[in-house]
């Protein structure tokens, strides 16, 4: 049996029941077979893949807090410190009832390759809790965040592990988490990114994931002699990534006709009015259905189904496995020719394989959504320098980083004889730097 297959079997056997983690590892290992099979003894000897697929450390802890009725609540808290070969652990915190160890391990694993692709010195990690911020008062969110950080602060630091936001963790949560870290550790340091602009945050971090997604989409289209101008775009989700992907796509002349949340989706043939979405989602924390109540001519549909809307470009920006094989078939049947993933692993493996087989433009999440973490690394640089760069400076660097990622991914795919397969390209290009650093540092 090949070394890659042996390691995949080992991962399944040693991590029972962790379907998302298996899925993420399998996709990467299938790509890496192109690199490893020809030199497998070398890789086997240093146990490189066994080490790459085992997190350096997982911290799991109790998060007790008191709700507004005076009742004690207990949530699970985690931090997965996956790989620090190229820099301190870096990656978001997710607060969502679905959070478990499998989901955080898949996210931490993907983060290792994503962070490598940015070209910046950041290792990979992820954390979070099964806490659901939906419907909680600000005081409850603060109580939860303070309790979460009281434990997490023992394991993180500006040169050690630097968390940020993800699903359910935005500016409000980062503020409460940062305040508690500073209070306990007595350090005013860049231990979290996505901070507010008055206390060490970076301009353009809020926009970065969505803007970066659109920059790399534009770059893919450019290489085909096309652009986003005049294209019809469907974006799933209506959170941080979806909102700023919509904003940049519109700025580049695309018409975004749909957005969604976990309850349903809206369709606006005239193009989404983003100021209304921001008011519903960023200010009032409401439901996307409210858009249809406010905008005449727009339609709200309960449930899944956003991928049945005809478009040229699809940008899944909600969550993992939100786009399956059936969705992929419907998208392509309706004329879609380009899919770029704003979310992490939003396409199932079957959907991904279908996109590759049909040779549409497909950019996987670990390349397409890397603009967020890249800009987090720029926030870390500014914190270390004790400086704040202008919006234009950060946005300019973000754009250059996304174009650089496109080039690395496209080049790696070509070097290994699978030109245009950006899934293999991203996995291989991300792997090369991490593998080199791990080899140089010995068996650790
Ligand atoms: P937000 O919490 O701001 O928004 C998440 C959006 O996705 C909401 O519209 C939410 O709907 C929807 N959603 C979440 N979970 C589900 C689900 N299980 N089923 C259907 N819809 C769901 O998160 P972000 O925008 O920050 O994150 C979106 C995706 O982008 C995630 O995959 C995240 O890992 C990824 N990402 C985020 C980065 C960042 O910088 N924030 C960077 C790189 C990737 P509802 O409100 O109803 O729950
Ligand atoms: O998935 C991701 O890359 C993020 N949620 C952002 C991580 C970060 O550290 O900015």
């Amino acid at each position: 049996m090949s070394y890659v297959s042996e390691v995949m079997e080992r991962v399944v056997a040693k991590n029972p029941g962790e379907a998302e983690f298996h899925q993420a590892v399998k996709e990467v290992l299938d790509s890496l077979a192109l690199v490893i099979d020809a030199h497998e003894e070398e890789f086997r000897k240093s146990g490189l893949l066994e080490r790459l697929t085992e997190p350096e450390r997982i911290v799991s802890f109790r998060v007790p807090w008191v709700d507004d009725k005076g009742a004690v609540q207990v949530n699970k808290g985690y931090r997965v410190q996956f790989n620090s070969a190229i820099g301190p652990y870096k990656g978001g915190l997710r607060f969502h009832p679905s959070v478990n160890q499998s989901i955080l391990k898949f996210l931490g694993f993907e983060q290792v390759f994503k962070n490598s692709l940015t070209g910046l010195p950041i290792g990979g990690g992820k954390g979070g809790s099964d806490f659901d911020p939906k419907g909680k008062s600000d005081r409850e969110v603060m109580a939860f965040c303070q309790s979460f950080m009281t434990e997490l602060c023992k394991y993180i630091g500006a040169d050690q592990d630097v968390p940020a936001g993800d699903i359910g963790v935005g500016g409000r949560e980062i503020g409460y988490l940062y305040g508690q870290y500073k209070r306990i550790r007595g350090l005013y340091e860049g231990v979290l990114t996505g901070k507010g602009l008055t206390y060490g945050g970076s301009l353009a971090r809020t926009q970065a994931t969505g803007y970066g997604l659109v920059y790399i989409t534009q770059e893919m289209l450019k290489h085909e002699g096309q652009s986003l101008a005049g294209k019809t775009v469907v974006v799933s989700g209506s959170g941080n990534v979806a909102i700023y992907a919509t904003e940049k796509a519109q700025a580049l002349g695309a018409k975004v006709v749909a957005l969604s949340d976990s309850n349903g989706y809206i369709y606006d043939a005239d193009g989404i009015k983003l100021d209304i979405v921001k008011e519903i989602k960023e200010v009032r924390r409401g439901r996307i259905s409210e858009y249809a109540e406010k905008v005449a001519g727009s339609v709200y549909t309960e449930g899944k189904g956003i991928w049945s809307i005809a478009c040229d470009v699809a940008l899944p920006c909600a969550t993992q496995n939100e786009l399956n094989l059936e969705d992929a078939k419907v998208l392509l049947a309706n004329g879609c020719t380009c899919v770029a993933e704003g979310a992490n692993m939003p396409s199932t493996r079957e959907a991904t394989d279908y996109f590759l087989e049909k040779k549409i433009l497909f950019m996987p999440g670990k390349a397409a959504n890397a603009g967020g973490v890249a800009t987090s690394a720029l926030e870390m640089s500014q914190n270390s320098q004790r400086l704040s760069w202008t919006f234009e400076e950060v946005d300019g660097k973000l754009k250059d980083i996304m174009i650089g990622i496109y080039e690395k991914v496209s080049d790696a795919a070509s070097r290994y004889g699978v030109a245009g397969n950006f899934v293999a390209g991203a996995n291989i290009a991300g792997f090369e730097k991490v593998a080199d650093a791990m080899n140089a540092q010995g068996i650790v």
Side-chain angles (χ1 to χ4, degrees):
M1 193 191 293
S2 76
Y3 177 43
V4 166
S5 308
E6 259 172 43
V7 172
M8 191 61 229
E9 276 199 359
R10 177 183 187 277
V11 166
V12 172
K14 298 231 170 199
N15 301 274
E18 298 191 344
E20 296 85 0
F21 182 55
H22 300 170
Q23 184 185 343
V25 172
K26 180 149 183 23
E27 186 213 280
V28 169
L29 290 185
D30 285 350
S31 298
L32 293 185
L34 292 168
V35 183
I36 289 177
D37 284 356
H39 312 274
E40 67 170 21
E41 280 323 306
E42 202 181 301
F43 289 103
R44 199 194 293 267
K45 204 170 148 212
S46 67
L48 190 83
L49 294 182
E50 290 88 335
R51 289 187 287 136
L52 193 68
T53 52
E54 188 68 43
E56 289 178 22
R57 185 177 304 101
I58 300 180
V59 187
S60 138
F61 49 93
R62 174 170 75 204
V63 191
W65 56 283
V66 179
D67 70 18
D68 284 349
K69 297 191 186 100
V72 173
Q73 301 286 341
V74 179
N75 287 100
K76 285 178 174 291
Y78 307 86
R79 186 71 181 164
V80 178
Q81 299 182 326
F82 219 109
N83 192 303
S84 63
I86 66 172
Y89 310 104
K90 181 84 197 86
L93 296 172
R94 178 176 292 190
F95 293 170
H96 191 272
S98 64
V99 163
N100 58 34
Q101 191 164 288
S102 170
I103 288 177
L104 296 180
K105 280 167 71 177
F106 117 65
L107 289 163
F109 182 72
E110 293 249 303
Q111 199 82 43
V112 174
F113 302 89
K114 181 196 305 195
N115 293 5
S116 167
L117 285 172
T118 67
L120 299 168
I122 40 178
K126 200 86 189 189
S129 173
D130 59 0
F131 173 73
D132 186 359
K134 254 188 227 128
K136 303 289 191 298
S137 69
D138 284 350
R139 194 210 62 82
E140 288 176 319
V141 171
M142 181 172 75
F144 173 81
C145 288
Q146 290 181 341
S147 181
F148 184 85
M149 183 53 88
T150 300
E151 193 61 29
L152 185 70
C153 76
K154 300 168 188 167
Y155 310 100
I156 62 175
D159 294 309
Q160 190 181 356
D161 183 355
V162 182
D166 193 79
I167 291 176
V169 177
R172 174 182 62 171
E173 291 74 19
I174 294 290
Y176 293 148
L177 291 164
Y178 189 71
Q180 185 73 350
Y181 179 86
K182 183 162 62 66
R183 182 187 190 194
I184 297 178
R185 298 290 298 268
L187 295 171
Y188 207 105
E189 60 170 5
V191 67
L192 293 169
T193 59
K195 298 186 292 300
L197 297 176
T198 51
Y199 62 95
S202 173
L203 284 161
R205 175 62 187 90
T206 302
Q207 294 83 356
T209 310
Y211 279 22
L213 170 67
V214 172
Y215 293 146
I216 202 165
T217 303
Q218 181 81 327
E219 192 62 19
M220 268 200 294
L221 290 167
K222 195 179 107 188
H223 284 263
E224 301 294 314
Q226 300 181 43
S227 90
L228 271 165
K231 295 249 185 317
T232 298
V233 179
V234 167
V235 179
S236 66
S238 49
N240 173 265
V241 180
I243 287 175
Y244 292 96
T246 301
E247 183 167 285
K248 184 54 75 177
Q250 290 179 336
L252 294 178
K255 191 203 264 189
V256 179
V257 295
L259 285 173
S260 63
D261 62 20
S262 56
N263 293 108
Y265 62 95
I266 48 159
Y267 173 68
D268 187 342
D270 294 333
I272 297 288
K273 281 87 189 158
L274 199 58
D275 50 341
I276 294 179
V277 176
K278 284 185 179 177
E279 207 271 323
I280 295 170
K281 287 289 173 183
E282 294 187 333
V283 181
R284 291 193 296 101
R285 300 177 189 275
R287 307 312 302 157
I288 202 67
S289 57
E290 295 164 38
Y291 182 92
E293 292 159 18
K294 289 173 189 284
V295 180
S298 69
V299 183
Y300 172 72
T301 308
E302 192 83 17
K304 295 179 190 293
I306 190 169
W307 307 121
S308 65
I309 298 171
C311 63
D312 304 305
V313 176
L315 304 176
C317 296
T319 194
Q320 65 276 357
N321 294 326
E322 57 163 309
L323 194 167
N324 64 25
L325 179 60
E326 281 315 301
D327 299 323
K329 287 182 176 168
V330 172
L331 272 173
L332 268 53
N334 285 334
C336 175
T337 57
C338 175
V339 177
E341 298 184 328
N344 286 305
M345 206 167 76
S347 309
T348 63
R349 178 61 188 267
E350 295 73 23
T352 299
D353 287 346
Y354 185 73
F355 292 142
L356 294 175
E357 179 197 319
K358 296 293 172 187
K359 296 198 183 304
I360 64 153
L361 292 174
F362 178 69
M363 192 58 79
K366 60 172 81 68
N369 70 37
V373 75
T375 307
S376 279
L378 300 178
E379 182 172 327
M380 290 166 70
S381 300
Q382 293 168 79
N383 291 162
S384 300
Q385 289 184 306
R386 304 196 186 286
L387 289 174
S388 298
W389 305 338
T390 62
F391 188 96
E392 289 68 30
E393 192 169 354
V394 180
D395 188 41
K397 287 185 200 295
L398 167 63
K399 196 172 196 174
D400 290 345
I401 289 168
M402 297 315 295
I403 292 171
I405 292 174
Y406 174 84
E407 282 163 1
K408 281 179 218 170
V409 166
S410 169
D411 168 70
S414 299
R415 276 191 285 120
Y416 283 91
V418 288
N421 179 341
F422 300 143
V423 173
N427 290 331
I428 292 169
F431 168 76
E432 287 176 330
K433 179 178 178 184
V434 176
D436 189 74
M438 286 176 74
N439 280 331
Q441 292 171 38
I443 308 301
V444 292

